[in-house]
Amino acid sequence: MSKKRQEHHEEHVDESWLIPYADLLTLLLALFIILFAASQTDQKKYQAIMQSFNSAFTGGIGQFNFSNLIPLSTEPNIDQKKYDQPTDPATPNAAEQQQKQQQQMEKEQYDLQQLKQKLDQYIADNKLTTQLETKLTEDLLMLTIRDNALFSSGSATVKPEAKQLAGTISEMLAQYPDYRIEVAGHTDNVPIRTAAFETNWDLSAKRALNFMKILLENDKIGPERFRSIGYGEYHPIDTNDSEAGRAKNRRVEVSILRSVKPPQMIDAAAKQP
């Protein structure tokens, strides 16, 4: 009897090893799928593979449940990155910034044109066309005043009659509080050496400073908007070989500066070495 039982037992081979073997094959298959997906840079394809993989194994076949797989960290492609990147609502985009700059330029152009008309009307009404002139450029509005309208020869003291002119100019400037003002002094190239001024640098700087001080006597304008500078003889607008040319070079310039420059000026400045 024992022999028969033994032979009957040997006919049924133990196949329980197939279960862990099948699980091992399943894990290897899952590993290769994950490695393949990780090697791809397309995030959408990766997600599709992972979803298919999870759907196939959510039933819990074998010893592991693959429904809780954590997606690998992959770098999305350029297009996906463009759309997935969060937008900060506090940071305006380039189009909004360009629109704001355009609006600011239009406002400044309108303001400076209005101020130029007021100055030109004052010059015409007081017959000062030979002593004062205005010029509107892409970066400023400039009022040029001949030196004989403000100072005596070789002096930096503002003439008493010129203080009324300075008061009128300051009243106009007070109506445009958003602009910075530069007062610049210029001379001709005739050397000067006196007890008060050693060079034309000193004379031009003192003239600009003294005229600026007269403008600042108006309490309606803030001194933080102003600066003065002396250029001496080194920025002539005419020849120094004639008396008429030298007379034009001796001047004070009051410049109302734009805060936003046109795009072509910004590009030109960027190209400069």
Side-chain angles (χ1 to χ4, degrees):
M1 291 292 294
S2 61
K3 183 178 181 181
K4 291 182 179 181
R5 289 179 180 177
Q6 185 177 0
E7 292 176 354
H8 177 76
H9 177 72
E10 291 177 353
E11 291 177 355
H12 295 81
V13 180
D14 185 7
E15 298 180 352
S16 60
W17 60 272
L18 290 175
I19 295 176
Y21 180 73
D23 288 342
L24 178 61
L25 291 179
T26 303
L27 289 175
L28 288 174
L29 175 63
L31 175 62
F32 285 120
I33 292 176
I34 292 173
L35 292 176
F36 173 77
S39 66
Q40 306 303 307
T41 59
D42 192 325
Q43 182 71 10
K44 291 182 178 179
K45 290 182 179 179
Y46 172 76
Q47 293 295 338
I49 293 173
M50 294 304 300
Q51 289 177 1
S52 300
F53 180 77
N54 290 335
S55 298
F57 293 98
T58 51
I61 299 174
Q63 300 295 325
F64 300 94
N65 188 343
F66 292 92
S67 61
N68 294 324
L69 285 175
I70 300 175
L72 295 176
S73 176
T74 58
E75 182 69 18
N77 58 32
I78 296 176
D79 292 337
Q80 186 69 24
K81 186 184 295 185
K82 178 179 66 176
Y83 292 108
D84 290 347
Q85 185 174 5
T87 302
D88 186 358
T91 303
N93 56 35
E96 291 176 348
Q97 290 180 345
Q98 185 176 4
Q99 183 179 6
K100 289 181 179 180
Q101 288 183 350
Q102 182 64 30
Q103 292 173 350
Q104 182 67 17
M105 283 190 294
E106 292 175 357
K107 178 183 181 299
E108 291 184 355
Q109 182 68 16
Y110 176 80
D111 288 346
L112 296 183
Q113 285 178 342
Q114 292 293 312
L115 179 55
K116 185 179 188 303
Q117 291 178 3
K118 294 176 182 179
L119 290 169
D120 290 342
Q121 187 63 48
Y122 174 81
I123 293 172
D125 293 343
N126 292 273
K127 298 179 174 58
L128 297 173
T129 53
T130 60
Q131 296 178 315
L132 283 78
E133 64 178 347
T134 62
K135 181 180 180 181
L136 180 60
T137 68
E138 291 181 333
D139 57 346
L140 55 83
L141 169 62
M142 180 183 294
L143 171 65
T144 301
I145 310 173
R146 302 284 177 250
D147 74 321
N148 58 3
L150 301 176
F151 312 100
S152 299
S153 179
S155 172
T157 302
V158 179
K159 295 178 180 180
E161 58 270 25
K163 292 183 177 181
Q164 181 179 357
L165 169 63
T168 301
I169 294 173
S170 67
E171 286 293 333
M172 294 184 186
L173 295 178
Q175 300 175 22
Y176 302 90
D178 298 328
Y179 297 89
R180 293 179 295 110
I181 312 297
E182 178 185 276
V183 182
H186 300 265
T187 68
D188 57 28
N189 68 343
V190 177
I192 183 174
R193 187 176 184 84
T194 65
F197 308 107
E198 293 185 0
T199 65
N200 283 326
W201 284 106
D202 301 279
L203 177 61
S204 63
K206 191 63 175 179
R207 283 181 168 182
L209 180 62
N210 287 349
F211 187 70
M212 185 184 72
K213 288 180 178 179
I214 301 297
L215 295 176
L216 291 176
E217 290 179 0
N218 186 347
D219 296 335
K220 299 178 183 178
I221 56 179
E224 69 277 359
R225 299 168 50 197
F226 284 75
R227 70 186 182 196
S228 68
I229 187 170
Y231 287 107
E233 64 197 68
Y234 300 103
H235 291 266
I237 57 175
D238 206 328
T239 179
N240 279 307
D241 296 333
S242 66
E243 178 56 35
R246 290 192 294 270
K248 289 184 178 181
N249 292 333
R250 297 190 299 268
R251 67 200 188 275
V252 169
E253 295 172 341
V254 180
S255 298
I256 299 90
L257 308 177
R258 297 180 190 263
S259 60
V260 181
K261 295 183 179 181
Q264 58 268 27
M265 292 193 62
I266 298 175
D267 295 341
K271 293 178 181 178
Q272 291 181 356

Short mmCIF file of all heavy atoms in Angstrom, two decimals, residues 216-247:
data_model
loop_
_atom_site.label_atom_id
_atom_site.label_comp_id
_atom_site.label_asym_id
_atom_site.label_seq_id
_atom_site.Cartn_x
_atom_site.Cartn_y
_atom_site.Cartn_z
N LEU A 216 13.83 128.34 -7.69
CA LEU A 216 13.40 127.63 -6.49
C LEU A 216 12.83 128.55 -5.42
O LEU A 216 12.38 128.06 -4.37
CB LEU A 216 14.56 126.81 -5.92
CG LEU A 216 15.01 125.62 -6.76
CD1 LEU A 216 16.23 124.95 -6.15
CD2 LEU A 216 13.88 124.61 -6.92
N GLU A 217 12.83 129.84 -5.65
CA GLU A 217 12.17 130.74 -4.72
C GLU A 217 10.65 130.56 -4.76
O GLU A 217 9.95 131.01 -3.86
CB GLU A 217 12.54 132.20 -5.03
CG GLU A 217 13.99 132.53 -4.70
CD GLU A 217 14.33 133.97 -5.04
OE1 GLU A 217 13.44 134.70 -5.54
OE2 GLU A 217 15.48 134.39 -4.80
N ASN A 218 10.16 129.90 -5.79
CA ASN A 218 8.74 129.57 -5.88
C ASN A 218 8.46 128.35 -5.01
O ASN A 218 9.00 127.26 -5.25
CB ASN A 218 8.37 129.29 -7.35
CG ASN A 218 6.88 129.08 -7.55
OD1 ASN A 218 6.12 128.91 -6.61
ND2 ASN A 218 6.46 129.10 -8.80
N ASP A 219 7.61 128.50 -4.00
CA ASP A 219 7.32 127.40 -3.07
C ASP A 219 6.50 126.29 -3.71
O ASP A 219 6.34 125.22 -3.11
CB ASP A 219 6.58 127.94 -1.85
CG ASP A 219 7.42 128.91 -1.04
OD1 ASP A 219 8.66 128.80 -1.12
OD2 ASP A 219 6.85 129.77 -0.34
N LYS A 220 5.98 126.51 -4.90
CA LYS A 220 5.11 125.51 -5.54
C LYS A 220 5.90 124.40 -6.22
O LYS A 220 5.32 123.41 -6.66
CB LYS A 220 4.19 126.18 -6.56
CG LYS A 220 3.25 127.22 -5.96
CD LYS A 220 2.42 127.88 -7.05
CE LYS A 220 1.52 128.97 -6.48
NZ LYS A 220 0.74 129.65 -7.55
N ILE A 221 7.19 124.58 -6.36
CA ILE A 221 8.00 123.56 -7.03
C ILE A 221 8.98 122.95 -6.02
O ILE A 221 9.51 123.64 -5.15
CB ILE A 221 8.76 124.13 -8.24
CG1 ILE A 221 9.62 125.32 -7.84
CG2 ILE A 221 7.79 124.54 -9.32
CD1 ILE A 221 10.40 125.90 -8.99
N GLY A 222 9.20 121.63 -6.16
CA GLY A 222 10.07 120.92 -5.22
C GLY A 222 11.52 120.95 -5.66
O GLY A 222 11.83 120.68 -6.82
N PRO A 223 12.44 121.27 -4.76
CA PRO A 223 13.86 121.32 -5.13
C PRO A 223 14.44 119.96 -5.52
O PRO A 223 15.45 119.89 -6.20
CB PRO A 223 14.54 121.86 -3.85
CG PRO A 223 13.58 121.55 -2.75
CD PRO A 223 12.21 121.63 -3.36
N GLU A 224 13.77 118.86 -5.10
CA GLU A 224 14.29 117.53 -5.45
C GLU A 224 14.19 117.24 -6.93
O GLU A 224 14.83 116.30 -7.43
CB GLU A 224 13.52 116.45 -4.67
CG GLU A 224 12.07 116.26 -5.06
CD GLU A 224 11.13 117.26 -4.42
OE1 GLU A 224 11.62 118.10 -3.63
OE2 GLU A 224 9.92 117.19 -4.68
N ARG A 225 13.43 118.05 -7.65
CA ARG A 225 13.30 117.85 -9.10
C ARG A 225 14.44 118.49 -9.88
O ARG A 225 14.59 118.23 -11.07
CB ARG A 225 11.98 118.47 -9.59
CG ARG A 225 10.72 117.87 -8.98
CD ARG A 225 9.52 118.74 -9.32
NE ARG A 225 9.44 119.05 -10.74
CZ ARG A 225 8.70 120.04 -11.25
NH1 ARG A 225 8.00 120.82 -10.46
NH2 ARG A 225 8.68 120.24 -12.55
N PHE A 226 15.27 119.31 -9.23
CA PHE A 226 16.21 120.16 -9.94
C PHE A 226 17.66 119.71 -9.76
O PHE A 226 18.02 119.09 -8.75
CB PHE A 226 16.09 121.61 -9.44
CG PHE A 226 14.89 122.33 -9.96
CD1 PHE A 226 13.63 122.05 -9.46
CD2 PHE A 226 15.00 123.28 -10.96
CE1 PHE A 226 12.50 122.70 -9.94
CE2 PHE A 226 13.88 123.94 -11.44
CZ PHE A 226 12.64 123.65 -10.94
N ARG A 227 18.45 120.05 -10.78
CA ARG A 227 19.89 119.92 -10.70
C ARG A 227 20.51 120.99 -11.58
O ARG A 227 19.91 121.42 -12.57
CB ARG A 227 20.36 118.53 -11.14
CG ARG A 227 20.20 118.26 -12.63
CD ARG A 227 20.55 116.82 -12.97
NE ARG A 227 20.42 116.57 -14.40
CZ ARG A 227 20.38 115.36 -14.94
NH1 ARG A 227 20.42 114.29 -14.17
NH2 ARG A 227 20.29 115.20 -16.25
N SER A 228 21.72 121.43 -11.22
CA SER A 228 22.44 122.41 -12.03
C SER A 228 23.79 121.86 -12.43
O SER A 228 24.37 121.03 -11.71
CB SER A 228 22.61 123.72 -11.25
OG SER A 228 23.51 123.53 -10.17
N ILE A 229 24.28 122.31 -13.57
CA ILE A 229 25.55 121.81 -14.09
C ILE A 229 26.20 122.89 -14.95
O ILE A 229 25.52 123.68 -15.61
CB ILE A 229 25.33 120.52 -14.91
CG1 ILE A 229 26.66 119.90 -15.32
CG2 ILE A 229 24.45 120.78 -16.13
CD1 ILE A 229 26.52 118.51 -15.92
N GLY A 230 27.53 122.94 -14.91
CA GLY A 230 28.29 123.87 -15.74
C GLY A 230 29.08 123.13 -16.79
O GLY A 230 29.86 122.23 -16.46
N TYR A 231 28.85 123.48 -18.05
CA TYR A 231 29.55 122.83 -19.16
C TYR A 231 30.73 123.64 -19.69
O TYR A 231 31.44 123.18 -20.58
CB TYR A 231 28.58 122.57 -20.30
CG TYR A 231 27.61 121.45 -20.03
CD1 TYR A 231 26.27 121.71 -19.76
CD2 TYR A 231 28.02 120.12 -20.06
CE1 TYR A 231 25.38 120.68 -19.51
CE2 TYR A 231 27.13 119.08 -19.81
CZ TYR A 231 25.81 119.37 -19.54
OH TYR A 231 24.92 118.35 -19.29
N GLY A 232 30.91 124.85 -19.17
CA GLY A 232 32.00 125.68 -19.66
C GLY A 232 31.86 125.99 -21.14
O GLY A 232 30.78 126.27 -21.64
N GLU A 233 32.97 125.87 -21.85
CA GLU A 233 33.01 126.20 -23.28
C GLU A 233 32.90 124.97 -24.18
O GLU A 233 33.03 125.08 -25.41
CB GLU A 233 34.34 126.90 -23.59
CG GLU A 233 35.54 125.99 -23.36
CD GLU A 233 36.85 126.73 -23.25
OE1 GLU A 233 37.05 127.47 -22.26
OE2 GLU A 233 37.69 126.57 -24.18
N TYR A 234 32.62 123.80 -23.59
CA TYR A 234 32.83 122.55 -24.30
C TYR A 234 31.59 121.98 -24.99
O TYR A 234 31.66 120.89 -25.55
CB TYR A 234 33.42 121.52 -23.34
CG TYR A 234 34.75 121.98 -22.79
CD1 TYR A 234 34.83 122.48 -21.49
CD2 TYR A 234 35.90 121.96 -23.58
CE1 TYR A 234 36.05 122.93 -20.99
CE2 TYR A 234 37.11 122.41 -23.09
CZ TYR A 234 37.18 122.90 -21.80
OH TYR A 234 38.38 123.36 -21.32
N HIS A 235 30.49 122.71 -24.99
CA HIS A 235 29.30 122.30 -25.73
C HIS A 235 28.76 123.48 -26.54
O HIS A 235 27.62 123.91 -26.33
CB HIS A 235 28.23 121.77 -24.77
CG HIS A 235 28.59 120.47 -24.12
ND1 HIS A 235 28.20 119.25 -24.64
CD2 HIS A 235 29.34 120.20 -23.02
CE1 HIS A 235 28.67 118.28 -23.87
NE2 HIS A 235 29.38 118.83 -22.89
N PRO A 236 29.54 123.98 -27.47
CA PRO A 236 29.08 125.14 -28.26
C PRO A 236 27.98 124.75 -29.24
O PRO A 236 27.92 123.61 -29.70
CB PRO A 236 30.35 125.57 -29.01
CG PRO A 236 31.15 124.31 -29.14
CD PRO A 236 30.89 123.52 -27.88
N ILE A 237 27.10 125.68 -29.56
CA ILE A 237 26.07 125.47 -30.56
C ILE A 237 26.36 126.29 -31.82
O ILE A 237 25.63 126.20 -32.80
CB ILE A 237 24.68 125.83 -30.01
CG1 ILE A 237 24.65 127.28 -29.52
CG2 ILE A 237 24.29 124.87 -28.89
CD1 ILE A 237 23.27 127.75 -29.08
N ASP A 238 27.42 127.07 -31.78
CA ASP A 238 27.82 127.89 -32.93
C ASP A 238 29.33 128.05 -32.89
O ASP A 238 30.00 127.62 -31.95
CB ASP A 238 27.09 129.24 -32.91
CG ASP A 238 26.94 129.84 -34.30
OD1 ASP A 238 27.84 129.61 -35.15
OD2 ASP A 238 25.95 130.54 -34.56
N THR A 239 29.86 128.69 -33.91
CA THR A 239 31.30 128.90 -33.97
C THR A 239 31.75 129.92 -32.92
O THR A 239 31.01 130.85 -32.57
CB THR A 239 31.71 129.37 -35.36
OG1 THR A 239 33.14 129.60 -35.38
CG2 THR A 239 31.01 130.67 -35.73
N ASN A 240 32.95 129.75 -32.44
CA ASN A 240 33.56 130.73 -31.54
C ASN A 240 34.49 131.68 -32.28
O ASN A 240 35.22 132.45 -31.66
CB ASN A 240 34.34 130.00 -30.43
CG ASN A 240 33.43 129.51 -29.31
OD1 ASN A 240 32.65 130.28 -28.75
ND2 ASN A 240 33.52 128.23 -29.00
N ASP A 241 34.45 131.62 -33.61
CA ASP A 241 35.33 132.46 -34.41
C ASP A 241 34.74 133.83 -34.70
O ASP A 241 35.39 134.67 -35.33
CB ASP A 241 35.66 131.76 -35.73
CG ASP A 241 36.44 130.48 -35.52
OD1 ASP A 241 37.15 130.39 -34.49
OD2 ASP A 241 36.34 129.56 -36.35
N SER A 242 33.49 134.05 -34.29
CA SER A 242 32.85 135.36 -34.52
C SER A 242 32.14 135.79 -33.26
O SER A 242 31.77 134.97 -32.41
CB SER A 242 31.84 135.27 -35.68
OG SER A 242 30.75 134.43 -35.34
N GLU A 243 31.90 137.10 -33.15
CA GLU A 243 31.21 137.62 -31.98
C GLU A 243 29.78 137.11 -31.91
O GLU A 243 29.27 136.79 -30.83
CB GLU A 243 31.23 139.15 -32.00
CG GLU A 243 30.49 139.80 -30.85
CD GLU A 243 30.99 139.35 -29.48
OE1 GLU A 243 32.22 139.12 -29.34
OE2 GLU A 243 30.16 139.21 -28.55
N ALA A 244 29.11 137.01 -33.06
CA ALA A 244 27.73 136.51 -33.08
C ALA A 244 27.68 135.06 -32.63
O ALA A 244 26.77 134.66 -31.88
CB ALA A 244 27.15 136.65 -34.49
N GLY A 245 28.64 134.26 -33.07
CA GLY A 245 28.68 132.86 -32.66
C GLY A 245 28.97 132.72 -31.17
O GLY A 245 28.34 131.91 -30.48
N ARG A 246 29.91 133.51 -30.67
CA ARG A 246 30.23 133.45 -29.24
C ARG A 246 29.04 133.89 -28.40
O ARG A 246 28.80 133.35 -27.31
CB ARG A 246 31.46 134.31 -28.93
CG ARG A 246 32.77 133.73 -29.50
CD ARG A 246 33.98 134.45 -28.93
NE ARG A 246 34.03 135.84 -29.38
CZ ARG A 246 34.64 136.25 -30.50
NH1 ARG A 246 35.23 135.35 -31.29
NH2 ARG A 246 34.66 137.52 -30.83
N ALA A 247 28.28 134.85 -28.88
CA ALA A 247 27.10 135.31 -28.14
C ALA A 247 26.06 134.20 -28.01
O ALA A 247 25.39 134.07 -26.97
CB ALA A 247 26.50 136.53 -28.84
#
